[in-house]
């Protein structure tokens, strides 16, 4: 099994979608480490949902985008 050093992995925006209500849903992740989904409302309010790995985060991102289209 391959191991990764967290200091060598760059966290970046993986996907960004704007739903029909104008909210921006952003999937951010660091390769083999922490991932998160951030929802930015038109009023400027942000909600962050952290996830332990990318597989779970991508599944939840798909659910968020399907609900809001």
């Amino acid at each position: 099994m391959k191991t990764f050093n967290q200091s060598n992995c760059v966290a970046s925006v993986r996907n960004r979608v704007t739903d029909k209500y104008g909210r921006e849903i952003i999937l951010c992740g660091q390769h083999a480490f922490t991932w998160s989904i951030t929802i930015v409302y038109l009023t400027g309010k942000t909600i962050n949902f952290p996830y332990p790995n990318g597989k779970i985060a991508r599944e939840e991102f798909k659910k968020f985008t399907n609900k809001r289209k």
Side-chain angles (χ1 to χ4, degrees):
M1 185 171 157
K2 192 171 186 180
T3 59
F4 297 95
N5 186 350
Q6 189 168 3
S7 64
N8 294 335
C9 294
V10 177
S12 62
V13 173
R14 305 296 179 154
N15 201 348
R16 179 179 289 178
V17 176
T18 303
D19 67 1
K20 65 182 179 180
Y21 302 112
R23 296 177 286 205
E24 194 170 13
I25 304 168
I26 305 167
L27 175 67
C28 299
Q30 190 176 16
H31 177 67
F33 301 98
T34 59
W35 286 67
S36 66
I37 295 174
T38 305
I39 300 175
V40 181
Y41 290 88
L42 291 173
T43 59
K45 179 181 176 184
T46 61
I47 299 176
N48 190 26
F49 300 98
Y51 295 96
N53 63 35
K55 183 177 181 182
I56 297 169
R58 287 188 296 272
E59 289 172 1
E60 290 297 316
F61 183 77
K62 191 181 293 185
K63 290 179 187 176
F64 274 113
T65 56
N66 287 341
K67 287 182 190 176
R68 290 177 167 82
K69 281 193 175 182

